[in-house]
Amino acid sequence: MAGRKVAIFNCARSFNDDIYILQVFDNSPSGLLVKAYLQAKSVEYFMPITEGELDKAALSRAEKSLTRLADSISLVEKSGQTFLESSIPGIIKPGLVMICCLRSSRRLYQSFARRSQPALTQ
């Protein structure tokens, strides 16, 4: 994968009796991306955090701030969907609008992927 990013922070967290690898990626100038990965089930959850949210939450990219962020994250279920959520004020809680956007993006990607595949010749 071209342009693959390296996490600026890594730790292990327990959610629902499972151990997840928690990683934070710097998507400057957009913000941060938090990823929780459960290797045993090959499940990933993502939580984008904008620069505006970082400012409101008084967070930076320093290790102390990233540790505070990691400690604030939990895995929550809303309307049958599972999300990462931070308890730090200033970081927006996920909602169903986000799911719709993610589903639309996935459909758009899948549609593009189908159209960009070379036609099979017989």
Side-chain angles (χ1 to χ4, degrees):
M1 175 193 250
R4 185 173 221 158
K5 293 208 175 220
V6 176
I8 59 170
F9 183 83
N10 295 288
C11 68
R13 289 287 314 272
S14 177
F15 299 125
N16 305 327
D17 298 324
D18 289 316
I19 303 295
Y20 285 77
I21 298 167
L22 197 65
Q23 297 179 299
V24 180
F25 297 90
D26 186 353
N27 286 337
S28 187
S30 301
L32 298 176
L33 180 66
V34 179
K35 172 185 165 184
Y37 176 62
L38 178 58
Q39 185 176 7
K41 297 178 183 173
S42 194
V43 175
E44 294 178 315
Y45 298 99
F46 295 90
M47 181 177 74
I49 302 173
T50 66
E51 289 294 332
E53 289 173 293
L54 291 173
D55 291 342
K56 288 178 185 173
L59 291 171
S60 69
R61 289 166 171 78
E63 187 170 350
K64 186 175 180 178
S65 282
L66 296 175
T67 299
R68 179 175 161 233
L69 174 62
D71 290 344
S72 77
I73 293 178
S74 56
L75 201 58
V76 296
E77 189 171 315
K78 294 181 183 181
S79 301
Q81 298 291 326
T82 305
F83 299 94
L84 291 178
E85 183 176 279
S86 173
S87 60
I88 298 175
I91 298 178
I92 297 172
K93 305 289 187 248
L96 293 181
V97 172
M98 185 179 214
I99 292 173
C100 294
C101 293
L102 290 174
R103 285 185 180 157
S104 295
S105 296
R106 185 177 308 131
R107 276 191 224 115
L108 180 62
Y109 171 77
Q110 289 169 343
S111 173
F112 177 76
R114 278 193 298 270
R115 278 189 256 140
S116 63
Q117 290 177 353
L120 296 175
T121 56
Q122 296 179 354

